[in-house]
Amino acid sequence: MRELTYNEAAVEAVAEEMRRDPKIFYMSTDPIGPLLREFGEQRVRATPIAEAALTGMAIGAAGSGFRPIVDWRQVTFCFVAMDQIVNQASKIHYMFGGQVSFPVLYRAAVGGGTQLAAQHSQSPYSMFMNLAGLKMFLPSTPYDIKGMLKTAIRDNNPVISFEANRLMARKGPVPEEEYTIPLGKADVKREGSDVTVVALAWLVHEALAAAEELAQEGISVEVVDPRTLVPLDHETIRNSVQKTGRLVIADEAGPTAGFSAEVAAVVTEDAASFMRLKTPVKRVCAVQVPIPYSPVLEDHVFPDRKRISAGIREVLQGREPADAA
Amino acid sequence: MQTRSPNLPPDTQREMLRRMLTIRRFEERASADYLAGKIYGVVHCYIGEEAVAVGVCGALERGDRIISTHRGHGHCIAKGADLGRMMAELYGRQTGYCKGKGGSMHIADFGIGMLGANGIVAGGIAIVTGAGLAAQMEGKGSVAVSFFGDGASNAGPFHECLNIAATWKLPMLYVCENNLYAAQTAAAATHALSDIAARAAGYGIPGVVVDGNDVFAVYQAANRAVDRARSGDGPTLIECKTYRWRAHTERRGQPDPRDQQELEVWKGRDPIARLERQLREQGDLDDSGLQTIERDVVTALDAAVAFAEASPFPTPERATDDVFSA
Ligand SMILES: Cc1ncc(C[n+]2csc(CCOP(=O)(O)OP(=O)(O)O)c2C)c(N)n1
Ligand SMILES: [Mg+2]
């Protein structure tokens, strides 16, 4: 199968949908070259640096029959648009009794590893998960981002596509044929029996690397990639934990009130999953600080395959020898 | 045409030249070290725009406060920041201004009234307007200066702050560095007026356009605005027309869609060459005088780089320092 980068797959998804539906248009402070060349300045707009206005205009255009895409670029740039996101986009459909729908796609790059420091490196999705009325996802592969973006563009709600800075240039197979991936469906990226690792984005790849290493010691790791954050696929996560009895959650964000806390709650408040847990849940997250610049500090703050392995070993401590096939 | 020399002692005028040259050499070094992998993340160069920071800061006192943008080295140097601590910050070292937490986009020196470079476009405008409010409430006659780009002038904080500052007569200078582009996007594509200064009328304050590559023109406009602010008459919007010589960032492979001829025209208006020529014509600079300045600048810069290189990286545990104040 041909290979595309994560970024190329995303652009291809947008281009295909724009070809299909003339109501789709795209706004960002610096437009994406291939989109601009194909669709022209009316549909691919270079905007002033005015994210609050763009975020709100998309809601209004959506409520007036269009299907706008706003590319915030770094997620940190959308914080100037918090009123439009929180008070307007997330509430408007509910508050007005569902009169019309608001099909908007917001795109935002998240995560670190770029040494761009606190104002350009953040993984704040749990801030948005806390709202009702916004769907959101964070894919880990070119295949997933393409399929999920296409679904999100067709969705009749405001959807946020969180996209990992660390994965932009990463390649993976993407079929030429049309396909979509539904929102709300997790993907088991590797099957295993001793421990479940629920991971997002770049950490899916780090978890897979850790799983590969640990396999040589006879440790069997299952890697679950939720992909969609809202609505979160509880069932796949719970089923995996019921099978393995152990849970490690890996997230590039800090732990406090984070995605990782949500996953831990989804598992532990479910009686069938809770009863199967053999050891406490382990979270492998970023240190809870604004992201620092110096590589020494940045590397210290983020989790990686080593810390995931250590987390796995921790939940495996005291494992019955019979368990180790 | 270069503005006639203001009523400044020759030493002060030569000092302006030295500061502008320091900015340029600092950034040439930062760019090279970035490409060599000694500086991380991103570096935005101010080369070509040096007259704005130096002209404005030349009209300020130490107690006045300024705020900067993502393109902040020039403002730091013009306000008198220490080159060693700046370079150490770029190198990610513990001795840097922000102990390696900030990097190029986030250098601050509150001790000299430099309230920080900022990674968010228009992010500094409100903060420094707060410093202007503080100056007004202190009543000691200090002023505050917001440096920002043409791109930032389209963002909400610019408009909200100009309105408040005008209404409350805050002692503020809003200095727009109109380098005709916001990243890859031409200014002409993002606002209908060609002069950002014209917006001042909408807030009832003076708006002036100056040649941002003419350090004395900038200095004189800033001086008038500072007088006005210190005497309690409120803010001024100063638009400095200028141009950046380098790509938006120093990142390798970064596209620069600007017209090369346009760039050449602006290089012909080099603010440093213009000042040098003028000082010579006035009889305030000769070859040996220029050599001395050049040598001093390079010596200071070499010392700054040596300091940065000799400085340790922070230990990893330092990552959790300073989340909260004591
Ligand atoms: C709120 C926000 N949106 C977008 C960006 C990305 N960005 C960084 S610099 C820049 C252009 C800024 O242009 P201008 O204000 O004219 O300053 P210049 O770079 O020309 O000095 C953009 C869009 C950002 N940092 N913050
Ligand atoms: Mg600009």
Side-chain angles (χ1 to χ4, degrees):
Chain A
M1 201 185 292
R2 75 176 171 153
E3 300 230 312
L4 293 182
T5 66
Y6 187 84
N7 183 47
E8 286 163 350
V11 174
E12 187 171 276
V14 173
E16 284 180 13
E17 291 305 297
M18 288 187 74
R19 268 171 230 143
R20 191 185 52 74
D21 184 348
K23 293 286 187 192
I24 300 169
F25 68 97
Y26 200 97
M27 298 197 282
S28 71
T29 54
D30 273 310
I32 296 173
L35 294 180
L36 181 60
R37 283 191 288 280
E38 179 171 353
F39 300 103
E41 289 177 357
Q42 284 297 307
R43 290 184 71 198
V44 178
R45 288 173 179 254
T47 72
I49 304 167
E51 288 84 356
L54 304 179
T55 302
M57 286 169 67
I59 304 168
S64 310
F66 283 82
R67 304 186 77 87
I69 301 173
V70 175
D71 190 346
W72 289 322
R73 307 177 63 225
Q74 284 305 317
V75 71
T76 49
F77 306 159
C78 89
F79 295 151
V80 304
M82 275 310 222
D83 169 62
Q84 296 299 323
I85 300 165
V86 179
N87 277 317
Q88 317 302 338
S90 85
K91 299 173 184 173
I92 194 166
H93 185 261
Y94 181 84
M95 199 171 68
F96 292 144
Q99 293 180 40
V100 293
S101 52
F102 297 90
V104 184
L105 176 73
Y106 297 112
R107 296 183 66 193
V110 297
T114 48
Q115 289 107 36
L116 289 173
Q119 292 180 336
H120 285 73
S121 313
Q122 201 164 338
S123 297
Y125 23 84
S126 71
M127 284 168 51
F128 299 92
M129 288 170 71
N130 185 253
L131 306 168
L134 297 177
K135 297 184 183 180
M136 61 203 72
F137 58 96
L138 172 52
S140 66
T141 65
Y143 179 83
D144 286 353
I145 196 170
K146 181 174 177 194
M148 297 183 81
L149 270 172
K150 286 174 70 93
T151 302
I153 291 170
R154 297 176 193 187
D155 197 286
N156 282 331
N157 293 281
V159 183
I160 305 176
S161 172
F162 292 112
E163 305 173 11
N165 279 319
R166 295 190 199 250
L167 298 178
M168 288 299 168
R170 197 181 179 107
K171 284 196 163 179
V174 179
E176 311 258 3
E177 312 78 62
E178 162 102 24
Y179 68 94
T180 59
I181 296 172
L183 300 185
K185 284 228 57 80
D187 186 35
V188 178
K189 289 279 195 283
R190 179 189 176 109
E191 291 197 16
S193 54
D194 293 331
V195 54
T196 298
V197 178
V198 174
L200 286 173
W202 171 65
L203 290 172
V204 170
H205 302 280
E206 292 298 286
L208 288 170
E212 195 59 40
E213 272 172 42
L214 293 171
Q216 321 212 333
E217 299 174 26
I219 298 170
S220 169
V221 179
E222 177 145 307
V223 178
V224 177
D225 177 3
R227 303 190 292 191
T228 307
L229 304 169
V230 177
L232 186 62
D233 180 354
H234 294 182
E235 196 187 336
T236 302
I237 295 169
R238 285 171 176 163
N239 285 346
S240 175
V241 173
Q242 286 172 30
K243 179 172 75 173
T244 64
R246 294 182 178 90
L247 175 61
V248 172
I249 309 158
D251 187 9
E252 211 181 323
T256 308
F259 160 82
S260 60
E262 180 66 16
V263 171
V266 160
V267 167
T268 52
E269 73 179 2
D270 173 54
S273 305
F274 182 74
M275 303 307 267
R276 295 287 181 89
L277 277 176
K278 298 170 190 159
T279 45
V281 174
K282 174 73 190 170
R283 292 193 285 167
V284 180
C285 296
V287 180
Q288 192 78 34
V289 293
I291 303 308
Y293 160 72
S294 188
V296 185
L297 301 174
E298 199 195 27
D299 289 347
H300 175 72
V301 165
F302 287 119
D304 58 7
R305 63 187 70 180
K306 277 209 202 94
R307 284 187 212 175
I308 294 173
S309 289
I312 291 171
R313 287 183 199 286
E314 195 178 316
V315 299
L316 281 170
Q317 257 170 27
R319 180 169 64 138
E320 305 275 314
D323 252 346
Chain B
M1 251 247 326
Q2 181 86 355
T3 303
R4 274 196 39 232
S5 162
N7 217 354
L8 285 173
D11 270 351
T12 310
Q13 300 189 22
R14 282 190 293 266
E15 173 61 16
M16 286 178 155
L17 180 64
R18 195 185 63 81
R19 292 220 169 178
M20 286 165 66
L21 257 178
T22 303
I23 296 170
R24 184 159 300 181
R25 299 284 175 261
F26 181 94
E27 291 198 328
E28 285 165 356
R29 191 63 190 258
S31 168
D33 287 357
Y34 175 80
L35 292 175
K38 296 182 189 172
I39 293 173
Y40 316 96
V42 70
V43 167
H44 298 88
C45 284
Y46 192 64
I47 292 177
E49 308 183 22
E50 298 92 341
V52 179
V54 171
V56 171
C57 290
L60 302 181
E61 303 291 336
R62 196 181 160 88
D64 297 326
R65 297 190 172 100
I66 69 168
I67 215 159
S68 176
T69 67
H70 53 285
R71 202 176 297 290
H73 310 137
H75 308 127
C76 286
I77 292 170
K79 194 72 171 66
D82 178 76
L83 298 181
R85 292 185 68 197
M86 283 181 68
M87 201 50 100
E89 186 59 34
L90 266 52
Y91 272 61
R93 307 302 166 107
Q94 179 65 27
T95 53
Y97 265 117
C98 311
K99 305 174 193 162
K101 297 234 174 62
S104 164
M105 266 192 294
H106 304 292
I107 299 181
D109 183 351
F110 283 74
I112 59 164
M114 161 51 190
L115 309 192
N118 206 303
I120 298 301
V121 170
I125 302 178
I127 298 171
V128 76
T129 301
L133 174 60
Q136 187 185 58
M137 294 195 297
E138 274 169 2
K140 291 183 190 152
S142 293
V143 306
V145 181
S146 183
F147 290 102
F148 56 94
D150 47 289
S153 78
N154 295 321
F158 167 80
H159 298 276
E160 298 178 30
C161 290
L162 253 70
N163 180 57
I164 292 175
T167 308
W168 294 0
K169 293 203 186 307
L170 298 182
M172 293 289 311
L173 274 65
Y174 293 95
V175 179
C176 180
E177 302 175 319
N178 186 354
N179 59 12
L180 308 182
Y181 291 85
Q184 325 304 344
T185 305
T190 60
H191 41 250
L193 290 171
S194 64
D195 288 342
I196 288 160
R199 294 173 175 187
Y203 300 103
I205 61 171
V208 290
V209 177
V210 298
D211 176 349
N213 286 20
D214 176 346
V215 71
F216 293 144
V218 174
Y219 169 78
Q220 282 171 351
N223 227 1
R224 277 191 293 275
V226 166
D227 282 348
R228 187 180 134 79
R230 292 205 207 284
S231 37
D233 294 333
T236 302
L237 173 60
I238 301 173
E239 176 184 2
C240 300
K241 306 273 194 195
T242 185
Y243 203 80
R244 70 172 146 73
W245 286 14
R246 306 184 65 91
H248 175 57
T249 75
E250 296 300 298
R251 213 170 295 192
R252 219 186 282 275
Q254 167 96 8
D256 189 350
R258 300 176 306 171
D259 177 14
Q260 282 309 295
Q261 254 182 327
E262 180 182 80
L263 174 60
E264 289 312 315
V265 168
W266 280 93
K267 281 191 170 172
R269 302 175 188 153
D270 180 358
I272 293 179
R274 282 169 72 178
L275 177 57
E276 187 191 310
R277 214 178 306 127
Q278 180 161 3
L279 292 179
R280 281 179 191 274
E281 280 165 16
Q282 290 169 192
D284 292 323
L285 188 73
D286 56 15
D287 285 346
S288 89
L290 182 63
Q291 273 168 17
T292 308
I293 292 176
E294 281 271 10
R295 208 182 42 231
D296 287 354
V297 166
V298 171
T299 306
L301 190 56
D302 285 347
V305 172
F307 172 75
E309 277 182 335
S311 293
F313 280 101
T315 53
E317 311 79 61
R318 294 292 188 129
T320 50
D321 290 357
D322 295 325
V323 176
F324 293 106
S325 179

